[in-house]
Amino acid sequence: MFISLEDVYIFLGIITIAGSIYTFLDRKNSRRITSGLFYCLYGVTLLFGKVIPPFYMGLLAIVLVLIAGFGGLKIGSYNEASVEERQNNRKRLGNKLFIPALLIPILTVAGSVGLKGVKIGGTFVLDQTSLTLVSLGAAAFIALIVGLVMTKNKPGTAIKESRRLMESIGWAAVLPQLLATLGTVFTTAGVGTVVSKLVGNVIPTHSLFWVVFAYCIGMALFTMIMGNAFAAFPVMTAGIAVPLLINQFGVNANHVAAIGMFAGYCGTLMTPMGANFNIVPAALLDLKDKYQVIKVQVPTALIILGVNTLLMYLFSL
Amino acid sequence: MVLIGVVIVIIGFIIRLNPLLVVTLAGLVTGLVAHQSLYSIITQFGQAFTTNRYMAVFIVTLPIIGLLERNGLREQAEHVVSKIKAATTGRILTVYFIIREVAAAVGLTSIGGHAQMVRPLVAPMAEGAAEAKYGEVPEEVRDKIRAHSAAVDNIGVFFGEDVFVAVGAILLMQGFFEQNHIHSDPLKMALWAIPTAIAALIVHAIRLYLLDRSLDRTLGNKASKNTPKKKEA
């Protein structure tokens, strides 16, 4: 293929490492060495993920955790454009500013739909196994070129601006990947089977309603622990839905699965473990309270969880 | 005993230790309790860290988004919205919410996203609508609007995407049932997702309507006293 997911990671690594150079040189940041080291090493893990052996990768991840965990990260200074500058630029470019911004979703969709299975000279244009991600990478790159031409800014400005955004996200950028590692350890240590046994022991198995209730709430709770409904689904379904709902009550597997998965998504909306959905955006939007996105989502999540439980029960009658 | 990791995570988040430390500690302790060697735990860490790099792909949008922000993208988004009289925070978020959920339901999950849509466009528009209506918006209200902007993106895509047959979740469920020798049908699973998808649409749209009402209550008085500041064109 012409563009693979690894190529996108290489681009990520380069912009992150290039940004860290500005951090190392940022005299106004009292922790510029440790902060710079954090972003530089993170860039290294992105850039060389394929070549670094897993054990050393694990050590690198732990170094990142130690730097961030013991206060090594400080926000720097960015020579940001003043409000006046931004207003002047805005008037200069006006609605044209939307073009590169909208190019990202448009080209991502175009790539993931239009370049599916497309080959030139016998090779796929884009990596077919992770088409959406590669399309997003290519789309953002094209949008960047268009943006640079349009604004007549230098590429270095884009790196500096990307560093500004990256540092405002800070440690939260690494959290989703780290949580995925925790999920792996939980799975190999058998946390899932313990949880589904616990839930299985508590519920009255002769009542259809309480089995449905236990399955839906269990999906949500276990998803909150793992941060991911996909990890919760096999465990809870094998533990509760298959033996009790499907085998004992003879309920149809299709709606149990569809609604059970949604019950899990309700859990995702309520947990800091779903960091890429809940914590990263809070950092990205400069929210003071990193849990505010979760707080806003909880009422909707609880109502829909109730709706899911009721729907699954009614459809199972 | 293996549940000790879960306990560490819960306590760690409650007492607000740095989540990176909490998660790493929980992983190490869980692994050790399950009699895994330190070497094997760290290797698992590294493996999972590498394979989950896809979660960092949003970084690819930061250079262009940052560049556009420097050139006034957010100001322009606020400006455009302030000229639309009917635009309120809740209505803008509802429109984006519906687009996000419907697009996801037909398989277009890549329309949207926090880095590429919410931060540069949706949040500034939602804030701009509030500023046009009420004048200055206090910081805690601004944060609330921003949090709602992030939330519509999540809720829209979550409850929309499973209506699409070829999405990862449906394939995962079908694979699971196949392994357990239970008959399942992806098309029917996608159909059974529709009632919840509609319920989510209604429930959250009502909450966004209530958000407008609560903004009216907290900021409305100010607006009636001093007429909303007209922004220069």
Side-chain angles (χ1 to χ4, degrees):
Chain A
M1 64 212 101
F2 289 103
I3 306 174
S4 71
L5 189 53
E6 208 56 41
D7 296 331
V8 179
Y9 292 146
I10 290 171
F11 181 63
L12 294 183
I14 291 171
I15 51 180
T16 312
I17 294 172
S20 77
I21 296 171
Y22 292 107
T23 314
F24 280 123
L25 298 175
D26 186 348
R27 297 203 172 277
K28 286 183 190 148
N29 183 344
S30 59
R31 292 259 197 283
R32 65 194 169 102
I33 301 298
T34 46
S35 300
L37 198 60
F38 179 87
Y39 296 109
C40 182
L41 287 180
Y42 184 48
V44 167
T45 66
L46 292 169
L47 184 55
F48 297 113
K50 210 177 166 186
V51 245
I52 299 174
F55 177 72
Y56 294 100
M57 198 66 170
L59 289 180
L60 273 175
I62 290 173
V63 172
L64 290 178
V65 170
L66 292 177
I67 294 176
F70 293 102
L73 282 189
K74 281 260 163 25
I75 297 279
S77 60
Y78 308 104
N79 262 327
E80 287 162 283
S82 66
V83 179
E84 271 166 41
E85 256 177 278
R86 291 203 305 263
Q87 284 291 356
N88 284 337
N89 284 334
R90 177 184 79 70
K91 280 178 208 154
R92 182 167 64 95
L93 293 163
N95 284 332
K96 273 199 219 152
L97 282 166
F98 292 125
I99 297 172
L102 293 175
L103 269 180
I104 302 175
I106 293 171
L107 291 178
T108 309
V109 169
S112 51
V113 177
L115 290 178
K116 193 173 198 166
V118 173
K119 290 181 187 178
I120 295 177
T123 28
F124 286 115
V125 178
L126 299 177
D127 193 336
Q128 298 294 303
T129 46
S130 32
L131 195 53
T132 315
L133 291 175
V134 179
S135 301
L136 174 62
F141 189 75
I142 296 171
L144 177 61
I145 305 289
V146 173
L148 285 172
V149 171
M150 215 178 71
T151 60
K152 301 193 179 74
N153 286 152
K154 295 194 192 85
T157 312
I159 297 285
K160 280 186 210 163
E161 290 297 313
S162 132
R163 171 204 162 215
R164 170 175 67 83
L165 295 180
M166 189 68 192
E167 291 192 5
S168 80
I169 303 172
W171 55 260
V174 187
L175 186 58
Q177 270 169 278
L178 211 59
L179 282 164
T181 72
L182 181 63
T184 314
V185 177
F186 274 1
T187 309
T188 58
V191 172
T193 31
V194 176
V195 170
S196 75
K197 263 188 205 148
L198 270 179
V199 178
N201 286 339
V202 183
I203 48 165
T205 52
H206 56 273
S207 152
L208 175 64
F209 178 78
W210 288 111
V211 173
V212 167
F213 182 84
Y215 177 55
C216 288
I217 305 297
M219 269 300 293
L221 281 178
F222 197 49
T223 301
M224 289 177 74
I225 293 170
M226 302 291 284
N228 182 349
F230 286 13
F233 181 80
V235 175
M236 295 309 286
T237 310
I240 301 176
V242 171
L244 298 175
L245 283 175
I246 296 170
N247 290 343
Q248 185 188 315
F249 286 103
V251 172
N252 177 309
N254 294 323
H255 79 252
V256 167
I259 300 174
M261 187 61 96
F262 273 148
Y265 289 179
C266 294
T268 314
L269 292 173
M270 299 190 284
T271 178
M273 303 291 280
N276 47 334
F277 300 112
N278 301 332
I279 306 294
V280 172
L284 201 55
L285 294 168
D286 301 317
L287 300 187
K288 255 202 219 136
D289 179 0
K290 293 287 173 278
Y291 296 99
Q292 194 163 4
V293 176
I294 297 178
K295 287 176 188 164
V296 162
Q297 287 171 170
V298 163
T300 303
L302 286 179
I303 295 172
I304 302 300
L305 184 56
V307 170
N308 279 326
T309 312
L310 266 180
L311 284 176
M312 193 189 289
Y313 175 66
L314 293 175
F315 292 151
S316 303
L317 282 175
Chain B
M1 251 327 249
V2 288
L3 288 185
I4 190 162
V6 178
V7 176
I8 292 176
V9 167
I10 294 173
I11 293 177
F13 275 117
I14 289 175
I15 62 173
R16 301 207 166 191
L17 276 176
N18 182 294
L20 296 185
L21 280 179
V22 175
V23 168
T24 311
L25 192 67
L28 283 175
V29 172
T30 306
L32 289 174
V33 167
H35 303 293
Q36 300 175 352
S37 73
L38 199 58
Y39 180 82
S40 120
I41 298 171
I42 294 178
T43 305
Q44 284 182 57
F45 266 36
Q47 234 148 22
F49 202 78
T50 306
T51 47
N52 286 287
R53 278 180 297 165
Y54 73 89
M55 289 187 167
V57 163
F58 73 92
I59 294 174
V60 81
T61 62
L62 298 185
I64 177 62
I65 296 299
L67 189 75
L68 293 174
E69 281 187 13
R70 189 183 182 88
N71 285 283
L73 176 63
R74 281 158 67 148
E75 284 74 14
Q76 180 66 15
E78 287 185 24
H79 174 75
V80 166
V81 159
S82 68
K83 285 199 289 197
I84 306 171
K85 280 234 173 67
T88 66
T89 302
R91 284 184 197 154
I92 285 172
L93 293 180
T94 308
V95 169
Y96 179 67
F97 174 56
I98 293 173
I99 294 175
R100 182 80 166 127
E101 185 165 340
V102 171
V106 295
L108 304 176
T109 44
S110 41
I111 292 181
H114 296 113
Q116 61 269 45
M117 287 298 281
V118 177
R119 174 172 167 132
L121 296 171
V122 179
M125 285 184 175
E127 286 170 46
E131 277 167 24
K133 198 169 169 196
Y134 310 109
E136 276 298 289
V137 173
E139 201 179 300
E140 70 268 17
V141 177
R142 196 205 61 194
D143 274 13
K144 189 177 169 186
I145 294 174
R146 288 184 179 182
H148 267 283
S149 311
V152 288
D153 193 272
N154 284 334
I155 296 170
V157 72
F158 281 13
F159 295 109
E161 66 176 0
D162 283 10
V163 176
F164 187 64
V165 184
V167 80
I170 302 242
L171 301 177
L172 173 110
M173 297 190 282
Q174 195 202 6
F176 170 84
F177 284 128
E178 216 159 82
Q179 268 178 11
N180 288 276
H181 310 293
I182 294 168
H183 177 74
S184 68
D185 178 354
L187 197 64
K188 284 195 181 136
M189 286 195 248
L191 281 177
W192 283 114
I194 292 175
T196 307
I198 293 173
L201 203 65
I202 296 170
V203 168
H204 202 68
I206 293 174
R207 285 199 59 216
L208 291 171
Y209 172 75
L210 295 175
L211 172 69
D212 264 349
R213 295 265 299 261
S214 102
L215 289 178
D216 272 341
R217 268 199 310 278
T218 43
L219 304 173
N221 295 338
K222 234 194 297 177
S224 55
K225 272 175 205 158
N226 36 318
T227 39
K229 264 187 287 178
K230 256 258 149 106
K231 285 204 166 176
E232 36 169 340

